[in-house]
Structures are given as C-alpha cells and as structure tokens.
Amino acid sequence: MNLPHETPAAVAAQYRAAGRDAVLADRSDLGRLRISGKDALDLLHRLTTQDVRSLGPGQGTAAAFVTAKGRIIDWVTLHCLDDGLLCLTGPGRSGAVADYIDRYTFREEVRVESADRSHGTLGLFGARARDRIAGLFGGPAAERPLHQPVRVRLAEAEAILARTFPLAGDGYHLTAPLESLRALRAAILERAAGLVEAGPACLEILRIEAGLPATGRELTEDYNPWEARLNDAISLNKGCYVGQEVIARLNTYRKVSKYLVRLRVDPTVPPLGAPLVGPGGEPIGTLTSAAAVPGEERVVGLGYVRDEEAADGRELAIVDGHRRFRAVVLGPAR
C-alpha cells in the first residue's frame, strides 16, 4: 500500500485533518496473531495481566504480557470472535508474543498462527472518526465499546472492526486479508468524501499527543505496566499469572517509583534517550519520544520521571551534552 507524502507541508495537512475531521492510515505495521483452541482463553488468562477467561464472542480487551519480574513484553489488544481470538500486538512483536505463549503451552489445546503476511490493518482516527465509521458501516458498529469486534462489509470486502485507543479524539482498526484490505481502502476513500490519508510521521505526533506508549520506546523490559500507566490492562481480581506477584506487590505497597508523562519541550526536538533533570540538575528520568507539531512552534514528548516529579506543570530540563531543553509536564500519559 502506497504511503502518503511525508513532506512537512503534507504532514501538517494530515495533522489538521485529524483535528477537524478524520484520517485513514495503514496500520499493517501492527502484529497480528490468530489464537484458537478450546484452552486459548484459559491459557491467555494465565499469561496476561487482564481477566481474559470471561471474554465471549464480540468482546475484547487490552492486556499486557509481562516477564516473571513484571516487566513489559508487549501491550496487546485481544478481540474475541466466533472462531478464536485476533490479537493485535505492537509493531514487530507478534513473534515475541507467539514465542512467549508457546513457552508456556504444554498439554493445552491452543493454536497460534501469524497473520502478519496474510492480513493487514487500517486505522481511522480523528475528531470525527466515529461519524465517518457510522457513515461507512452504520451507527451500531461505530458505537461499540473499546476493543469489542464486529464483522463489517463494504464493497464486498469483509473486515473485523474494533474501536481502539483514540488519536485526536477517537480511533478504529479494520483488519482483513490483504486483497480485501486493498478493496476496503479504495471503497472507504471513494465513499468518505474528503477523507485524508495520513502517514507514519503524522501518526507519531498524534500518538505522543495522546500519551500512548509505543513498542521499543515506552514499552520495553525496562518498565512495568504501572509505570507505563497501563492500569486498564491490569486486573487485580483475577488469579495467578506470570508476573502477578510483582505486579500486585507494586500496587499494594505503593512501590511504583516512576511514571510515564506527557511533556511540552522547547525549543527543538531533543535526542531520544536524553536524561530529564530536576531544578538542581539531579537526574529524574528519561525522554522516550518527541516530535515537532507541524505548523506550530511546539514540541511534544513522552518520558518517564520519578513519581514526585510527575505533577502537572512541573518544570524540568532535558540535557544533551552542553545543550539544555526546557520541558514542562503536561499531565499523565493516556
């Protein structure tokens, strides 16, 4: 699928379109796994932070796979269908998630298949994404709760539609076989007059503004789900799972020492991984993502900071050798 132009002017136009209407984007970079078998829900329940066992067809949830030490392997969405589950992973993480499931599969009847090459995913994001989806697939499909899948059809192309984490107001994913996905994209652009396509640069700005953590940036084994503010992916009422003891202890004894926050940075984009420092020059965290907002003189960022420095409006600095960048905490991520 051809990517939209990524010139500064094009990215600025895409960004404005997301804010006033909606944008269509290729999200085939996401990993896709089909998980089936009579023991699939039970196994995933024992391997993730979320209460998965109770899911029925048409339901879905976000969940995290973590190590025995409670560190993040990946943050996924699970969509329960009549014939199994669709698992959307972070970019390039489907193999790691599949291997992790396989490591803990013994006598369970579970089958994990990669759909990375056979299927693709489109995203529709923005202030009027719900209206656009309603116009294409009907109001009931657009109004479904977060992560709850429904099969939809447009121009003889069938896809799985699920509401996802919002960018610029709202968000939806459409997953389908590649041939159907191409037909689906063409039909959407034909029927949704004026809809703009957005590329990775625009999506990255929208992601950072929304405070969504990303694979390889905020979602690594350096951090745990509480630090990444994945609270809605954690069930405190379910039974044991890999990493559960650590996750529960961090919450019970208030041992979370740092949090992911949204930042405003001046005057330019600092290098990722640069240290965040407090007023006295003491290290208090790390910058994990940053991008300049097109057409505006501001830079947005994400970073992990010590819990006592995570308050809204807290002024920090980012240090890169002899250069210093001013940073202000805008609020919690997500």
Side-chain angles (χ1 to χ4, degrees):
M1 194 172 296
N2 295 328
L3 291 175
H5 293 299
E6 294 275 79
T7 64
V11 174
Q14 296 161 20
Y15 177 81
R16 291 193 299 270
R20 68 171 183 266
D21 184 9
V23 292
L24 182 67
D26 183 8
R27 290 311 323 269
S28 296
D29 58 319
L30 296 173
R32 285 165 296 279
L33 296 172
R34 294 299 305 268
I35 306 173
S36 58
K38 68 180 182 66
D39 300 320
L41 285 174
D42 182 69
L43 180 61
L44 291 173
H45 189 82
R46 291 185 276 117
L47 294 183
T48 69
T49 56
Q50 189 57 278
D51 183 353
V52 174
R53 188 179 290 152
S54 60
L55 289 180
Q59 296 180 319
T61 189
F65 288 90
V66 298
T67 68
K69 295 182 178 180
R71 301 292 179 152
I72 298 169
I73 295 172
D74 199 21
W75 181 38
V76 306
T77 56
L78 296 168
H79 310 282
C80 193
L81 308 168
D82 292 332
D83 56 351
L85 293 108
L86 169 65
C87 174
L88 295 181
T89 77
R93 296 301 291 168
S94 61
V97 171
D99 289 345
Y100 184 81
I101 296 172
D102 182 66
R103 187 187 316 159
Y104 290 96
T105 303
F106 298 98
R107 296 183 178 180
E108 294 87 354
E109 188 177 310
V110 176
R111 184 176 183 181
V112 180
E113 301 172 279
S114 172
D116 286 351
R117 295 185 177 181
S118 61
H119 290 61
T121 301
L122 295 174
L124 205 153
F125 306 102
R128 295 189 60 244
R130 178 165 47 181
D131 295 338
R132 289 292 198 174
I133 290 292
L136 291 164
F137 304 108
E143 296 294 337
R144 290 184 68 80
L146 197 65
H147 309 312
Q148 294 198 2
V150 61
R151 294 187 186 273
V152 295
R153 180 179 290 272
L154 188 69
E156 302 305 315
E158 186 175 283
I160 298 167
L161 171 71
R163 203 172 203 157
T164 190
F165 302 110
L167 298 180
D170 216 335
Y172 297 82
H173 281 148
L174 287 151
T175 299
L178 288 180
E179 289 188 7
S180 296
L181 198 76
R182 286 187 281 269
L184 187 66
R185 170 182 170 269
I188 290 173
L189 292 174
E190 178 183 350
R191 300 185 186 197
L195 187 64
V196 172
E197 289 191 276
C202 177
L203 292 188
E204 177 71 352
I205 297 164
L206 297 177
R207 176 189 73 82
I208 295 171
E209 282 194 320
L212 290 179
T215 299
R217 300 280 187 85
E218 294 80 27
L219 301 175
T220 73
E221 291 190 24
D222 293 327
Y223 308 107
N224 66 62
W226 295 120
E227 293 169 339
R229 301 189 189 266
L230 306 184
N231 302 36
D232 57 352
I234 302 171
S235 170
L236 294 173
N237 301 316
K238 61 180 286 187
C240 294
Y241 59 90
V242 177
Q244 183 265 343
E245 184 178 347
V246 176
I247 299 296
R249 189 167 62 244
L250 286 168
N251 179 68
T252 300
Y253 297 106
R254 301 183 184 277
K255 293 294 186 180
V256 181
S257 61
K258 56 180 172 285
Y259 288 100
L260 186 62
V261 297
R262 294 178 295 115
L263 300 165
R264 185 181 72 243
V265 181
D266 297 314
T268 58
V269 178
L272 302 185
L276 290 157
V277 301
E282 70 281 10
I284 61 167
T286 305
L287 180 73
T288 53
S289 293
V293 178
E296 303 180 23
E297 294 184 359
R298 62 187 178 99
V299 174
V300 291
L302 294 175
Y304 283 96
V305 300
R306 291 191 317 217
D307 58 344
E308 62 267 29
E309 305 291 344
D312 296 9
R314 185 63 59 91
E315 293 195 6
L316 312 171
I318 301 169
V319 178
D320 176 36
H322 297 295
R323 296 192 300 166
R324 291 176 69 90
F325 303 79
R326 179 175 175 268
V328 177
V329 176
L330 296 178
R334 303 191 64 225

